[in-house]
Amino acid sequence: MNVNKHTIDWNEIFNFKNIALNIIGVAFITLALKGFMLPNKFLDGGVIGISILLHEILHLPFGALVLVLNIPFLFIGKKILGNTFALQSLITFVLIALSINFVHIEAVTSDRLLIALFGGCLIGIGMGFCIRSGSTADGIEILALLTTRKIGLNVSEVIFGINSLLFLAAAWYFGISTALYSIVTYFSAVKSLDYISQGVEQYISLHIISAKSDEIKDLIANKFRKGITIIKGERGYLPDSFDEKWDCDIIVTIVTRLELLRIKEEISQLDAHAFMYIQYIKDASGGILRLKPKH
């Protein structure tokens, strides 16, 4: 059943899996902030980074800053992604604010490199879990989504631009060294977020053009148990023999990065001259993606 984005899907809100993922995400974010970043004045990007900066400059409660600064983005998210997303995100913001105020965690370390790496990884993992629960832990991504529609830049470019200004402010107030370590924290967080939100098994589109296409089809379908799609094309058109051409099958299959190397190696054994190229894709569903091999 399709749910209008202007209504609230209460089944989604009270889904046990989503609640568990959200709580796990908030727990990781709290550990990153209180165990690593806040005691050592390290910044992440986005609203959380802005909240840390204002907390240190104005001495306002950090939890309240995270909640208040994220509220305006909920109205944007409500219009773009619907009421269910906005309510789930509000719950996430409230949980972060409460955990920051009421959960006590001692600083784990004062080593700057460890703070940058582990603090960034933990907060990225936490945000990834929140995204998988159907919410967001930082409203800056909603702002970036709106901005891309207005000025034509992609989300990554907008977030990078906003965070560049934030890290410049950190360099001015905390010193260049802390700002540089904060950049490491941010990139650690982004990489960890990608792994959690997209999964370790990121899907890759593998294209193969070969004179031995029938053998390669058999290899992919029957040995690796992967689905294939065939695009009819032409080979040839080389610089020294432009007029020579042959009909060919362009084989397309979706694999994970964990499978990619082995499949490419076996294709190369069948045809050392096979032309292969890959495209990274954000998501894939349906078809044969995770079929188990025959025993």
Side-chain angles (χ1 to χ4, degrees):
M1 181 178 68
N2 292 326
V3 178
N4 190 296
K5 73 176 185 177
H6 297 298
T7 64
I8 296 176
D9 184 355
W10 293 106
N11 290 328
E12 186 79 7
I13 298 294
F14 292 111
N15 180 280
F16 176 78
K17 179 182 176 182
N18 290 341
I19 294 171
L21 287 172
N22 206 4
I23 292 173
I24 292 169
V26 171
F28 272 103
I29 291 170
T30 304
L31 176 59
L33 290 170
K34 301 205 75 173
F36 291 88
M37 295 167 63
L38 285 174
N40 298 283
K41 301 179 181 179
F42 270 50
L43 272 69
D44 183 35
V47 172
I48 287 179
I50 295 170
S51 300
I52 295 172
L53 189 62
L54 294 177
H55 170 69
E56 293 298 330
I57 295 174
L58 303 176
H59 306 292
L60 297 173
F62 175 74
L65 285 169
V66 170
L67 181 59
V68 171
L69 293 178
N70 272 307
I71 292 298
F73 300 116
L74 288 178
F75 293 98
I76 302 172
K78 178 182 175 182
K79 289 185 177 180
I80 298 175
L81 300 170
N83 289 344
T84 302
F85 169 81
L87 181 56
Q88 286 178 304
S89 298
L90 176 61
I91 293 170
T92 302
F93 300 153
V94 171
L95 287 175
I96 292 172
L98 291 174
S99 66
I100 291 298
N101 284 336
F102 297 109
V103 176
H104 177 72
I105 299 174
E106 293 287 343
V108 175
T109 180
S110 59
D111 184 288
R112 290 189 162 197
L113 184 58
L114 292 178
I115 296 164
L117 294 176
F118 283 92
C121 285
L122 288 170
I123 201 167
I125 290 170
M127 288 183 173
F129 277 117
C130 290
I131 288 173
R132 297 196 74 152
S133 76
S135 69
T136 183
D138 198 303
I140 204 72
E141 295 184 5
I142 303 173
L143 176 63
L145 185 61
L146 176 67
T147 308
T148 57
R149 299 184 178 187
K150 300 293 184 182
I151 63 177
L153 297 175
N154 63 42
V155 173
S156 298
E157 290 169 338
V158 173
I159 291 176
F160 180 76
I162 294 170
N163 287 332
S164 294
L165 296 175
L166 176 61
F167 291 128
L168 285 174
W172 173 75
Y173 191 78
F174 296 130
I176 188 65
S177 178
T178 299
L180 292 174
Y181 275 113
S182 294
I183 293 173
V184 176
T185 305
Y186 168 68
F187 280 106
S188 298
V190 168
K191 207 62 182 175
S192 300
L193 189 155
D194 286 343
Y195 273 104
I196 298 300
S197 62
Q198 297 177 16
V200 175
E201 293 189 334
Q202 181 180 11
Y203 290 115
I204 295 167
S205 176
L206 174 63
H207 297 66
I208 309 112
I209 302 172
S210 169
K212 297 183 178 180
S213 58
D214 288 336
E215 293 95 324
I216 292 173
K217 292 175 197 174
D218 181 69
L219 172 75
I220 295 172
N222 294 320
K223 180 173 182 178
F224 289 101
R225 309 289 290 159
K226 308 298 293 186
I228 58 175
T229 298
I230 306 302
I231 301 172
K232 298 297 182 180
E234 289 183 343
R235 300 175 64 218
Y237 302 103
L238 298 174
D240 297 326
S241 55
F242 184 77
D243 295 328
E244 296 181 16
K245 59 183 179 181
W246 307 269
D247 291 336
C248 72
D249 290 339
I250 303 171
I251 304 167
V252 182
T253 185
I254 304 298
V255 300
T256 68
R257 60 176 143 203
L258 301 178
E259 300 166 324
L260 179 63
L261 181 60
R262 187 176 165 213
I263 292 177
K264 287 179 65 179
E265 285 177 348
E266 298 220 16
I267 291 173
S268 296
Q269 289 174 10
L270 283 175
D271 181 5
H273 301 290
F275 175 69
M276 293 178 275
Y277 68 94
I278 64 174
Q279 292 177 310
Y280 292 95
I281 55 180
K282 288 290 184 184
D283 192 18
S285 61
I288 303 174
L289 291 174
R290 295 176 183 238
L291 190 64
K292 293 183 179 179
K294 288 181 178 179
H295 295 290

